[in-house]
Amino acid sequence: DTNKCSNGCNACVTACNDEHGLTGHGRPESDAQWIRKVELRDKQTGNTQSLPLLCQHCEKPPCVDVCPTGASFKRADGIVLVDKHICIGCRYCMMACPYNARSFIHENVRFKTTVAPRGKGCVESCNLCVHRRDNGEDSTACQDACQHGAIVFGDLKDPNSAVSQAMAKYPNVQIRADLMLNTGVRYTDV
């Protein structure tokens, strides 16, 4: 909910970085960023909105279509992932993603978490804390960290989920809906 997302707040980004061990080199060009805050400004009204931007987990992900090895794939539950064991680092998926949501690991990774193994020469992106899904949990690190209640996670196909109920209650949009990718991430009031 972009009405609740606070300008200058980066709690979701910090939580994601901590959960997955994404920083460590101290240089933005070499630190991965699975979620980033974007400030949007309406040129006519001057109104600004802040929103978290991450992998949109598309129904028809362009990153999967262009991957020559099948390393970029979509699970049955709709989560788009990268298999680091077969990623050859060609970065075609990065070029195909209209959301600039993928990162490439240029250097050796000093700190690795057990939930998100990482390695030099691979592409990676938000995985919606898939390790939590696989352990029966129903939240993400970014949602847990958001003190403003702006991030709601759940199954879009379950009408009883919190996210489906929020979408039924408030108008919502997809970023770049013109691409007809039917994204799994939705925003209110953008």
Side-chain angles (χ1 to χ4, degrees):
D1 185 338
T2 59
N3 287 316
K4 295 178 182 176
C5 191
S6 176
N7 287 349
C9 177
N10 284 310
C12 58
V13 175
T14 301
C16 179
N17 290 346
D18 291 346
E19 179 96 3
H20 300 101
L22 298 182
T23 58
H25 296 292
R27 298 183 309 279
E29 66 275 4
S30 61
D31 284 344
Q33 201 170 31
W34 291 8
I35 184 172
R36 65 188 191 279
K37 288 290 290 288
V38 177
E39 304 295 325
L40 301 177
R41 183 177 173 274
D42 186 316
K43 291 179 182 179
Q44 293 179 337
T45 65
N47 183 36
T48 60
Q49 290 180 308
S50 181
L51 62 94
L53 189 61
L54 58 149
C55 173
Q56 300 291 293
H57 297 277
C58 306
E59 182 179 48
K60 297 175 184 164
C63 57
V64 170
D65 290 343
V66 300
C67 182
T69 65
S72 287
F73 68 99
K74 185 176 140 188
R75 290 181 10 155
D77 60 6
I79 298 174
V80 178
L81 297 174
V82 178
D83 184 335
K84 291 161 184 56
H85 299 290
I86 57 176
C87 176
I88 59 173
C90 69
R91 299 179 243 181
Y92 288 162
C93 60
M94 291 178 74
M95 291 181 273
C97 178
Y99 307 102
N100 193 27
R102 293 205 162 193
S103 297
F104 182 75
I105 305 173
H106 291 277
E107 302 177 32
N108 289 324
V109 178
R110 289 181 267 161
F111 173 72
K112 298 178 187 181
T113 65
T114 56
V115 299
R118 306 172 65 227
K120 182 179 179 179
C122 290
V123 173
E124 56 188 14
S125 66
C126 168
N127 61 21
L128 294 176
C129 293
V130 69
H131 59 283
R132 292 180 175 207
R133 299 294 78 57
D134 294 345
N135 288 320
E137 296 178 50
D138 61 357
S139 69
T140 61
C142 59
Q143 177 187 8
D144 290 348
C146 182
Q147 299 171 359
H148 308 287
I151 298 174
V152 178
F153 180 82
D155 185 350
L156 290 173
K157 294 180 181 177
D158 177 2
N160 297 319
S161 72
V163 71
S164 291
Q165 290 177 1
M167 286 177 55
K169 189 174 180 180
Y170 304 106
N172 58 83
V173 298
Q174 301 174 53
I175 302 290
R176 292 296 315 266
D178 59 310
L179 297 175
M180 295 186 271
L181 297 173
N182 193 23
T183 61
V185 177
R186 303 296 169 93
Y187 298 88
T188 61
D189 196 51
V190 172

